[in-house]
Amino acid sequence: LDYQIGLRGEYCDNRNNFQSIGIKKNQDYFDLFPNAVISYSLDNTNQIQLSYSRRISRPNIYLMNPGKQSKDPYNIVMGNPDLKPEFTDSFELGYIGTFGKHTITPQLFYKKSIDNVFMTMTPSADGKILYLTYANDSDGEFYGTDLSYQGQMLQGWTMNANFSYYKQIQNVHSKSGSYSSSDYSWNGRLSTSYFILSNLMAQISAVYMPDVVTPLGKRYGYKYMDFAVKYDFWDRNASLTFRTTDLFESLTYGGFAKGNNYSFTNKYNPDSRHFSLTFSYKINNYIRKPAKPGTGTQMPSGGEFM
């Protein structure tokens, strides 16, 4: 039986000066973040683990910029310099099993977040322009199951896969009213690598996110696939990597929302397929420690407006 207890303190001094509109906003705050992990090893290859952690997600400068950011003449976005950070309490109960070259990590999780950033909309008096801004008006809960796998399928072929099925509950309490939504959802990620030669590796990464019901409507799902080839030389101290993002140009996203006096639908088809060629050289051939498997489903990022 092993256990680990930790406590982290963070002080934030946030100073913003929006010179073009003459607004200065300063924030300073201190927060404590406890965490605890208890694990029990059944034997050398099977382990049960219970963990708790408190996490923070601070709003970025885009969400806090109060200047008008026009996506088009009919939609005006203005940030909120008074935004507070989001906080999440996360509980996870999991099993880690190692079978030869394969590791499987099923787990149950529960996450509760407060002060989530939510996008609100207000139409102009003539109804022709929609003004959008952000506020800490939302809180939410996630609970469900998560299954992760990593291992070697064949000689030279490795795979990492993750599947999550969960229930999402979101509540919004804003000046325009209170809203809530509750729905089951799932998502999946896959990354696989194959050594064509001892120093030539190909990798494919794929992500699928389904539609998600939100308090005011629905956020459309998305999917994409990346492809990369890496060639090592000079005793593996140097490498040349060719990468293609969104290989099939399948990434589209958006959603729709409906309030008391407006409806809003958007769909984006970004120019997301890019090609890159990267050269890297290792000075001391440092090897990073592998991340712990099975981190659970992450809470949605700020700016959820539907």
Side-chain angles (χ1 to χ4, degrees):
L1 181 66
D2 298 315
Y3 64 91
Q4 176 180 308
I5 299 175
L7 181 64
R8 187 180 79 256
E10 289 189 8
Y11 172 73
C12 180
D13 184 6
N14 187 6
R15 304 182 184 185
N16 295 312
N17 182 10
F18 304 98
Q19 297 181 0
S20 61
I21 52 181
I23 294 179
K24 292 184 178 181
K25 286 288 183 176
N26 298 330
Q27 294 179 339
D28 65 284
Y29 50 88
F30 177 79
D31 292 289
L32 292 175
F33 300 92
N35 65 83
V37 179
I38 301 175
S39 62
Y40 181 75
S41 297
L42 303 173
D43 52 40
N44 292 332
T45 59
N46 295 275
Q47 184 182 84
I48 298 174
Q49 182 172 284
L50 175 65
S51 65
Y52 163 76
S53 63
R54 185 171 188 253
R55 303 167 186 171
I56 186 173
S57 176
R58 296 183 175 88
N60 58 42
I61 191 62
Y62 174 81
L63 300 179
M64 300 182 69
N65 184 0
K68 292 183 178 180
Q69 306 160 44
S70 301
K71 292 186 176 181
D72 56 66
Y74 307 103
N75 295 279
I76 308 298
V77 180
M78 294 177 292
N80 180 0
D82 295 317
L83 283 179
K84 299 181 294 183
E86 305 174 348
F87 294 93
T88 301
D89 290 291
S90 177
F91 301 84
E92 298 174 355
L93 173 62
Y95 161 80
I96 303 173
T98 303
F99 309 93
K101 298 180 179 180
H102 309 275
T103 300
I104 299 177
T105 311
Q107 68 176 7
L108 302 175
F109 61 86
Y110 172 80
K111 301 175 189 290
K112 181 175 178 60
S113 64
I114 60 173
D115 293 332
N116 291 341
V117 176
F118 188 81
M119 180 179 275
T120 60
M121 309 179 191
T122 304
S124 61
D126 58 7
K128 295 182 179 180
I129 300 177
L130 198 60
Y131 293 95
L132 306 95
T133 189
Y134 306 93
N136 297 99
D137 290 338
S138 176
D139 59 70
E141 294 178 87
F142 269 45
Y143 61 87
T145 182
D146 185 88
L147 177 62
S148 297
Y149 165 82
Q150 62 182 49
Q152 181 174 311
M153 308 299 293
L154 296 172
Q155 183 66 33
W157 178 23
T158 60
M159 180 180 295
N160 292 305
N162 176 266
F163 174 81
S164 296
Y165 181 78
Y166 54 91
K167 185 173 184 179
Q168 171 184 298
I169 302 172
Q170 284 184 287
N171 302 299
V172 177
H173 306 283
S174 63
K175 296 179 181 179
S176 60
S178 297
Y179 314 92
S180 63
S181 68
S182 176
D183 191 27
Y184 289 92
S185 187
W186 65 276
N187 59 63
R189 298 174 182 270
L190 173 68
S191 177
T192 182
S193 302
Y194 181 71
F195 279 91
I196 303 173
L197 300 172
S198 60
N199 59 345
L200 179 63
M201 180 184 70
Q203 183 180 71
I204 295 176
S205 300
V207 174
Y208 176 79
M209 296 287 180
D211 293 350
V212 176
V213 175
T214 62
L216 300 181
K218 179 181 290 186
R219 186 175 69 248
Y220 299 144
Y222 60 90
K223 59 182 181 295
Y224 63 88
M225 179 180 292
D226 297 339
F227 174 75
V229 177
K230 179 182 177 183
Y231 177 70
D232 296 322
F233 53 100
W234 291 348
D235 295 328
R236 297 187 179 275
N237 290 319
S239 63
L240 197 63
T241 304
F242 174 77
R243 182 180 301 276
T244 304
T245 60
D246 193 15
L247 180 62
F248 300 108
E249 294 187 299
S250 58
L251 179 61
T252 61
Y253 56 91
F256 74 87
K258 186 176 182 180
N260 295 329
N261 53 357
Y262 69 87
S263 62
F264 180 91
T265 301
N266 64 2
K267 187 173 183 181
Y268 297 98
N269 294 281
D271 182 17
S272 55
R273 184 164 68 178
H274 298 278
F275 304 94
S276 65
L277 185 64
T278 305
F279 170 80
S280 63
Y281 182 79
K282 301 175 184 177
I283 297 176
N284 59 1
N285 201 21
Y286 170 74
I287 300 177
R288 185 182 300 274
K289 292 182 179 179
K292 294 182 179 179
T295 57
T297 302
Q298 299 297 311
M299 298 299 295
S301 59
E304 304 295 342
F305 62 90
M306 293 171 287

